[in-house]
Amino acid sequence: MNKKRTPLLSVAFMLLAACGYTASAQLQNAGTLNEPVDISKDFEDYRNTFYFADELNSFDPATGKGAVKYTRYEYKTRQAFDNMLVKPDSVPANEFPATEYEASPVQPFLIQFVSERTVRIKMASGPQFHQPKESIMLVNGTAPNHPESWKYTKTAAGHKYSGKYGTVEIIANPWHVKVYDASGKLLTSTLHNSDVQNTYTPVLPFSYVRRNSDYSRSMAPVFSLEPDEKIFGCGESFTQFNKRGQKVILWTDDANGVQNETMYKPIPFYLSSRGYGIFMHTSSPVTVDFGKYWASANKMMIGDDVADLFIFIGEPKDVLDEYTDLTGKAAMPPLWSFGFWMSRITYFSEKEGREVAKNLRKYKIPSDVIHFDTGWFDVDWRNNYEFASKRFDDPVKMMADLKKDGFNVCLWQLPYFTPKNTLFNEIVDNNLAVKDRKGNIPYEDAVLDFTNPETVKWYQGKLKHLLDQGVAVFKVDFGEAAPAEGIYSNGRTGFYEHNLFPLRYNKAVAEVTQREKGYTLIWARSTWAGSQRYPLHWGGDAATTNGAMSATLRGGLSLGLSGFSFWSHDVGGFVTKSPEDLYRRWTPFGMLTSHVRSHGEPPTEPWLYSEDFLKDFRKADNMRYELMPYIYAQAKDCSERGLPMMRALFVEYPDDPGSWLVDNQYMFGSDMLVAPLFEEVTERDVYLPPGQWIDYQTKKLYQGGWHKIRSGDIPIVVLVKNGTVLPHIKLAQNTQDMDWSKLTLKIYAADATTTATGKIYLPGGEKVQTLTVAKKGNDFEVSQDPLQGKTTFKTEWIK
């Protein structure tokens, strides 16, 4: 964050105490400001009118354009003994005059083919007079259409399109869209009212609702869920990993932690174990019922009056590649960003910053970034983009000196401005803030309106000045409290702009950083679809508990399955001083994440704990820095293919049923399996996918399956896939001092293994290369050197 003193933005009131600050989070379902919007309530209200998609009214196979007739329904009640039943019944029109309005409206339907694996289905519940021509969620503003990649066939039941990887069938009456894979297996299908007549449970089919209160409409695409189907993604979700059986609300929220159902980073995208994924292309609030109410129905209740769905066919890697082709792949961050970030809440002065840098080098804690959180202004938390003159004698010289010693400086800031902020009047007077219906500001604080080009220009100007002074990266904090009822410069309300606020915020900071520094890098908390283009994001304000550590991993895995390659978290937790045993176990988990930062309530600096802890912290940090060639190459590969650095086991092993069931361990890149210790123990149960695995610390060999594995000196279990080359580099105290001309290739190979491979990518290189080594006698030698002598290799067979 982090901890807030803004009085209204999230109803998280801060209380001053002698020992520091304590926070009370937003109570959910209390009807308070910026509470997540649950659209599902409108689809359960018997006062509303419902329109069920019924039959295909017309269709042009050449353009993919057609129309669907909808039948009108209302919920009716019926008493059965002492029970009140509710079910939808068809009803006649109730408008006057009857000649002017349709009882069974015919609404537009469109199917397009983005690629050989991606199908777009777009439905509307009424005319669209002012649709934006471009979408900020899509990497090029619009989605491509390649109908030539699919072959059309007229069928007795309707229409069929066949492609290399699957088939889409449109049935005219009753209307269905069915999606199959290349083998002919049904992946999913729209649900018609006739599909749910064999149950007493009233089930909503593919439909839209017209609210009685204001006649606004919202779409509900409803698709089938098959037995044993599992659902993953939806952003940084901290609830159970498999979303099947859950109701998920997609509304950007200050979750105030990592152990509840709301999200800093909701993403309207999910991935199914059956071999498909779906992106709900909208910025409106979304509630998805993944079989919670009725086990076989996936209800995507979308606030928008348009349902714009992209369906991706393939295994997890294929789906993530296609989704990120559409919404954008992560830019490759600079090498130094993969080093250790040292932070706390907060360093208040130049003296403190210099002292921290001195101690990092004194205690030989490799590090590349020092972060100044909320305290670098004159008044703590009062963001005005100016260093406190009384506490920072010469910030420009400070940053230059730190840079010489291998440290980059990160600064905290946020997009909210309290009434006492020196910039408040300038922002309000120049119409740079979100307004309310009266033209005033909705909150006591001014919230920057990033839909206004003048706001972006003003804001980026403030950041440019700091970048010119020597700042390397900005912490893009908050962003979840854009006024839901606000009026934005582009004419839209917060109903459509609230969820886009983080994306616009991320974009503004990333673009000025790219323009001034030559790289795309932020440290952000909130997101929406497309934010993955602007790395990187961290997990928010975790409690300092075992449960929070475990939930942090689930959130990171879920975000990775939502198109995000890079992600981090506050090592040790944020809210209170981290207990030493927890901090010791959390540290290697952080070191084996794409990026790593210690941050939170002080102390966070390892030398302020016991001598044994300091040694353990140093070992874990040294491990990361020696692994930097592996981390850097895997990062580059992820940025090119839309893969997460920290990935669920099934991303690498989609054909292994067991890999779909594990959520407390992960693959770090393609070749390392990591199992953190979530309790104060020295061993844990670990699931290994098929094949042979070699313990990174103890060198023991394991076969696939369940094992109870003891950690090594570093309190974490790490295994390497047999046949893997892990490039290592000589330890340095920062990345700028690393010598990439000499690398050690550690070869993890069982006795019978004759070849091994690994990825390599040098700073400044053009693309990821594959190194191959072959057994020769009692050792391995490089048999294929794609770097052509740019680097010398020493081989070390680990056995």
Side-chain angles (χ1 to χ4, degrees):
M1 171 157 103
N2 302 235
K3 292 183 209 148
K4 322 166 198 27
R5 297 183 205 170
T6 48
L8 291 176
L9 288 174
S10 64
V11 193
F13 301 103
M14 307 305 300
L15 302 176
L16 275 171
C19 61
Y21 305 114
T22 59
S24 55
Q26 182 183 65
L27 180 65
Q28 295 170 33
N29 304 315
T32 53
L33 182 64
N34 276 332
E35 182 176 284
V37 176
D38 182 3
I39 286 294
S40 69
K41 296 175 182 178
D42 293 323
F43 289 91
E44 299 162 352
D45 191 335
Y46 67 88
R47 296 170 296 181
N48 293 337
T49 303
F50 301 86
Y51 297 84
F52 294 175
D54 194 22
E55 62 181 84
L56 192 66
N57 182 266
S58 63
F59 187 71
D60 178 1
T63 63
K65 294 181 180 179
V68 171
K69 186 178 81 171
Y70 290 76
T71 304
R72 181 184 301 223
Y73 285 81
E74 289 180 357
Y75 286 132
K76 298 292 181 66
T77 60
R78 181 186 182 190
Q79 181 180 330
F81 300 104
D82 296 327
N83 205 27
M84 186 64 74
L85 307 179
V86 179
K87 63 172 291 185
D89 275 349
S90 58
V91 294
N94 64 349
E95 294 89 355
F96 175 85
T99 57
E100 304 302 304
Y101 307 98
E102 293 183 87
S104 299
V106 175
Q107 307 290 13
F109 161 67
L110 172 69
I111 185 167
Q112 292 180 327
F113 299 94
V114 176
S115 73
E116 292 181 321
R117 291 189 183 272
T118 304
V119 180
R120 183 182 196 178
I121 297 172
K122 194 170 185 178
M123 314 280 284
S125 60
Q128 302 297 306
F129 298 116
H130 299 290
Q131 284 292 92
K133 293 182 179 180
E134 294 188 345
S135 168
I136 193 175
M137 289 175 274
L138 305 182
V139 65
N140 291 316
T142 59
N145 184 25
H146 297 292
E148 71 280 358
S149 60
W150 293 68
K151 180 182 177 182
Y152 171 76
T153 306
K154 181 73 176 73
T155 66
H159 311 270
K160 184 171 72 173
Y161 292 89
S162 302
K164 182 178 179 180
Y165 300 105
T167 300
V168 178
E169 185 179 13
I170 304 168
I171 298 175
N173 190 11
W175 178 78
H176 288 87
V177 175
K178 296 178 178 287
V179 182
Y180 303 85
D181 68 9
S183 71
K185 181 182 77 173
L186 176 68
L187 300 178
T188 189
S189 168
T190 59
L191 287 185
H192 184 271
N193 195 39
S194 62
D195 298 324
V196 292
Q197 295 306 302
N198 53 0
T199 174
Y200 290 123
T201 305
V203 181
L204 189 75
F206 198 113
S207 57
Y208 67 88
V209 64
R210 188 184 70 188
R211 297 174 184 83
N212 185 58
S213 59
D214 61 1
Y215 263 37
S216 63
R217 302 176 304 277
S218 290
M219 296 291 300
V222 181
F223 281 72
S224 63
L225 286 172
E226 300 303 321
D228 298 324
E229 183 172 358
K230 301 168 184 64
I231 301 292
F232 302 91
C234 293
E236 189 189 51
S237 176
F238 304 115
T239 60
Q240 289 303 303
F241 191 37
N242 177 7
K243 301 304 174 220
R244 179 74 181 264
Q246 298 183 48
K247 186 173 81 169
V248 180
I249 298 173
L250 300 175
W251 177 264
T252 308
D253 181 52
D254 184 345
N256 279 285
V258 301
Q259 291 169 275
N260 63 78
E261 64 183 359
T262 68
M263 287 180 269
Y264 304 104
K265 306 174 189 64
I267 304 295
F269 167 82
Y270 61 87
L271 184 152
S272 167
S273 62
R274 286 187 68 80
Y276 72 93
I278 292 183
F279 169 45
M280 297 162 279
H281 180 216
T282 183
S283 61
S284 69
V286 176
T287 299
V288 188
D289 185 319
F290 292 112
K292 180 179 185 294
Y293 171 73
W294 200 65
S296 297
N298 173 7
K299 297 190 295 184
M300 293 170 268
M301 292 162 280
I302 298 171
D304 202 347
D305 60 354
V306 171
D308 190 7
L309 307 178
F310 292 86
I311 304 174
F312 313 96
I313 299 172
E315 293 184 343
K317 285 184 179 180
D318 302 318
V319 170
L320 290 172
D321 192 26
E322 291 285 314
Y323 170 67
T324 53
D325 276 348
L326 183 69
T327 60
K329 288 180 162 58
M332 178 64 178
L335 173 63
W336 58 261
S337 75
F338 293 94
F340 173 58
W341 300 44
M342 186 72 251
S343 176
R344 64 155 64 180
I345 174 83
T346 174
Y347 301 131
F348 282 100
S349 67
E350 178 177 333
K351 180 181 179 182
E352 282 186 285
R354 289 183 179 275
E355 187 69 19
V356 168
K358 178 182 176 182
N359 280 325
L360 285 165
R361 298 294 180 245
K362 172 184 175 182
Y363 292 105
K364 296 191 180 303
I365 303 297
S367 179
D368 276 77
V369 182
I370 293 177
H371 170 67
F372 291 85
D373 215 65
T374 65
W376 60 282
F377 317 108
D378 280 324
V379 179
D380 190 15
W381 294 91
R382 191 183 292 172
N383 170 36
N384 63 358
Y385 309 108
E386 295 179 6
F387 283 94
S389 58
K390 294 182 180 179
R391 288 181 274 116
F392 290 85
D393 296 333
D394 191 341
V396 173
K397 186 177 187 303
M398 176 195 74
M399 289 186 281
D401 290 345
L402 291 175
K403 184 67 176 176
K404 290 178 183 177
D405 199 18
F407 292 106
N408 294 272
V409 169
C410 177
L411 292 184
W412 178 93
Q413 50 84 70
L414 83 171
Y416 314 143
F417 297 82
T418 57
K420 292 183 179 180
N421 193 301
T422 56
L423 298 172
F424 181 85
N425 290 336
E426 179 183 350
I427 292 168
V428 174
D429 292 345
N430 289 285
N431 297 314
L432 304 181
V434 179
K435 297 181 179 181
D436 62 14
R437 288 172 292 180
K438 187 181 178 182
N440 207 332
I441 59 172
Y443 305 148
E444 290 183 42
D445 301 338
V447 178
L448 291 181
D449 182 358
F450 291 113
T451 73
N452 183 350
E454 292 302 313
T455 300
V456 175
K457 180 180 178 181
W458 176 90
Y459 175 62
Q460 290 182 334
K462 297 294 184 183
L463 300 187
K464 179 184 183 304
H465 175 66
L466 292 164
L467 292 168
D468 289 344
Q469 287 184 315
V471 175
V473 59
F474 291 103
K475 181 174 174 179
V476 185
D477 206 358
F478 291 85
E480 305 92 356
E485 301 296 328
I487 307 297
Y488 293 73
S489 175
N490 62 2
R492 305 209 304 176
T493 71
F495 189 81
Y496 287 95
E497 284 297 330
H498 172 91
N499 282 332
L500 284 184
F501 189 93
L503 175 57
R504 297 188 191 278
Y505 180 29
N506 294 172
K507 181 176 185 286
V509 184
E511 286 186 344
V512 70
T513 304
Q514 169 60 231
R515 191 161 60 238
E516 301 302 322
K517 294 293 186 176
Y519 50 77
T520 300
L521 183 69
I522 60 176
W523 187 277
R525 190 175 75 175
S526 57
T527 71
W528 190 249
S531 286
Q532 73 274 3
R533 302 193 295 260
Y534 314 112
L536 61 110
H537 299 81
W538 101 99
D541 301 341
T544 47
T545 64
N546 289 334
M549 181 182 173
S550 177
T552 292
L553 174 55
R554 290 196 301 275
L557 289 176
S558 290
L559 189 67
L561 293 172
S562 306
F564 286 72
S565 295
F566 306 112
W567 173 84
S568 187
H569 45 95
D570 289 344
V571 173
F574 171 81
V575 179
T576 59
K577 175 187 175 182
S578 185
E580 186 168 296
D581 68 287
L582 175 71
Y583 199 177
R584 178 183 285 108
R585 289 180 282 109
W586 202 319
T587 295
F589 168 36
M591 295 298 175
L592 295 175
T593 308
S594 87
H595 291 75
V596 55
R597 180 184 74 162
S598 285
H599 177 71
E601 194 72 25
T604 56
E605 298 76 17
W607 53 87
L608 296 180
Y609 286 80
S610 71
E611 184 65 27
D612 286 343
F613 175 85
L614 176 62
K615 291 178 181 177
D616 288 342
F617 191 99
R618 184 186 297 119
K619 287 179 184 176
D621 197 6
N622 288 350
M623 172 183 66
R624 178 180 181 85
Y625 272 70
E626 290 175 343
L627 270 169
M628 195 59 68
Y630 173 79
I631 294 171
Y632 197 52
Q634 292 288 329
K636 179 63 174 176
D637 185 58
C638 288
S639 72
E640 292 177 346
R641 299 201 287 156
L643 296 176
M645 278 279 285
M646 192 179 81
R647 64 191 67 157
L649 302 189
F650 63 73
V651 174
E652 290 296 326
Y653 299 92
D655 296 326
D656 173 38
S659 291
W660 291 87
L661 304 176
V662 177
D663 68 355
N664 63 354
Q665 55 188 72
Y666 60 95
M667 297 296 297
F668 184 48
S670 58
D671 302 316
M672 299 183 74
L673 186 149
V674 179
L677 302 179
F678 294 110
E679 298 180 67
E680 187 62 10
V681 294
T682 57
E683 62 180 9
R684 58 160 287 179
D685 292 325
V686 180
Y687 177 77
L688 301 179
Q692 294 180 305
W693 297 83
I694 301 169
D695 192 301
Y696 182 74
Q697 298 189 75
T698 67
K699 320 306 184 215
K700 291 183 179 179
L701 178 68
Y702 296 89
Q703 302 294 326
W706 283 102
H707 300 271
K708 189 174 287 293
I709 301 179
R710 184 173 296 275
S711 67
D713 289 341
I714 301 172
I716 196 167
V717 176
V718 184
L719 297 109
V720 183
K721 184 169 61 178
N722 181 45
T724 295
V725 175
L726 286 188
H728 285 63
I729 198 167
K730 184 180 179 181
L731 180 64
Q733 293 303 299
N734 57 77
T735 57
Q736 77 177 18
D737 288 344
M738 288 180 169
D739 182 3
W740 288 78
S741 68
K742 300 175 182 178
L743 298 180
T744 298
L745 304 181
K746 294 192 177 183
I747 299 146
Y748 289 78
D751 287 338
T753 304
T754 58
T755 62
T757 61
K759 293 181 176 63
I760 190 76
Y761 176 69
L762 298 183
E766 294 183 2
K767 61 180 181 178
V768 178
Q769 306 280 1
T770 298
L771 273 169
T772 302
V773 298
K775 185 183 286 185
K776 188 173 182 180
N778 293 322
D779 205 349
F780 281 81
E781 291 184 356
V782 176
S783 58
Q784 181 182 347
D785 178 11
L787 302 182
Q788 299 177 336
K790 293 179 181 177
T791 297
T792 60
F793 298 114
K794 175 185 175 183
T795 59
E796 181 181 337
W797 185 9
I798 307 298
K799 58 178 179 176

